[in-house]
Amino acid sequence: GGGGGNRYGAGGGGGGAMLATGVTLDPGTYAVSIGSGGNGGPGSAQGSDGGNTIFHPGGPQQRQGTGGGGGGSYDSTTNGRPGGSGGGAGSRPGSTGGPSSQPSAPGSGTDYGNRGGNYNTSGNGWAPAGGGGAGAQGTDSGPAQYNGGGNGGDGVQLSISGTATYYGGGGGASAFHNISPSAPSPNTPAPSSHKTFGGAGGGGTGASSPDVTIPPNSSPGANATANTGSGGAGAHSPAPQNFNSGPGVGGNGAAGLVIVAYPSVDNSVST
């Protein structure tokens, strides 16, 4: 899902994931539909939802990862949108993250998806919430009033490619101003869970303040890392209190992917 736009944009949700094992596929051709990443919200808009990624659409072996939900925006609908993982909530009291709708199609397997973060702070315009990830929910805002946006939920780590890899990280929410050690009134520094980092697995990271170190597995810009099924970061504008890569436009989510892995068979003969 795309991140929320303009002011106090919330992180977009990562796509839902499905792992199906022990599946027998008859020889033949199988269609695959790759869902595109949702667009970041322009102006005062929510981020848009990502598209669904489907193996064998409409067939007996159909499996689906549902597109992530768009993040909320302070100047539009602040609630996060539902999706495979839900978008985070913008910074108005009572706003909620989008729920997870994974699975939303037939096909057996293990499903992964989580809700977006909720806004629990009293008063408008403080830290918005992170987008949900396939492995963990988006970070809620806490009761304290601070500027750092919520981190995105981590993606799920799977080894279907042969290497343990994260997929479907949630997008980080926007940062209003320097988040550490500088702090707003009432002088409450942002905790580590509110440094606007994208979740492991490629979620967009929403801040590049000089006192923030971008962690591994996070995109350093507002957009999600390509082809990971991850959510984009929320935006804040106008400058100079805008640490995203665009002028008030949320980060774009990433397209999904399908991996089909066959068991290896050792046909060597010992002599």
Side-chain angles (χ1 to χ4, degrees):
N6 199 27
R7 292 191 297 168
Y8 310 105
M18 171 180 276
L19 176 65
T21 58
V23 177
T24 299
L25 295 176
D26 294 328
T29 300
Y30 293 83
V32 172
S33 176
I34 301 295
S36 60
N39 293 323
S44 59
Q46 288 178 306
S48 64
D49 302 339
N52 299 331
T53 292
I54 309 172
F55 176 82
H56 201 203
Q61 295 292 4
Q62 177 172 318
R63 301 293 192 279
Q64 177 171 308
T66 304
S73 172
Y74 183 85
D75 296 295
S76 178
T77 302
T78 51
N79 292 335
R81 293 183 55 80
S85 289
S91 53
R92 291 187 186 271
S95 297
T96 59
S100 170
S101 57
Q102 176 73 26
S104 59
S108 61
T110 303
D111 291 282
Y112 302 91
N114 290 277
R115 69 167 175 85
N118 298 323
Y119 185 75
N120 297 324
T121 309
S122 61
N124 296 329
W126 297 96
Q137 70 184 41
T139 303
D140 298 335
S141 75
Q145 295 177 334
Y146 39 72
N147 289 328
N151 295 349
D154 285 343
V156 61
Q157 189 179 47
L158 301 172
S159 298
I160 188 171
S161 67
T163 302
T165 304
Y166 283 96
Y167 303 98
S174 63
F176 172 67
H177 202 352
N178 286 351
I179 55 181
S180 170
S182 302
S185 177
N187 198 33
T188 303
S192 60
S193 61
H194 286 77
K195 296 296 181 70
T196 77
F197 293 151
T205 293
S208 56
S209 181
D211 52 11
V212 173
T213 300
I214 302 299
N217 301 314
S218 291
S219 171
N223 295 332
T225 303
N227 304 314
T228 60
S230 299
H236 187 84
S237 108
Q241 296 171 336
N242 173 20
F243 297 110
N244 293 295
S245 61
V249 178
N252 296 330
L257 73 164
V258 168
I259 299 173
V260 179
Y262 296 89
S264 60
V265 178
D266 185 357
N267 290 319
S268 61
V269 178
S270 298
T271 57

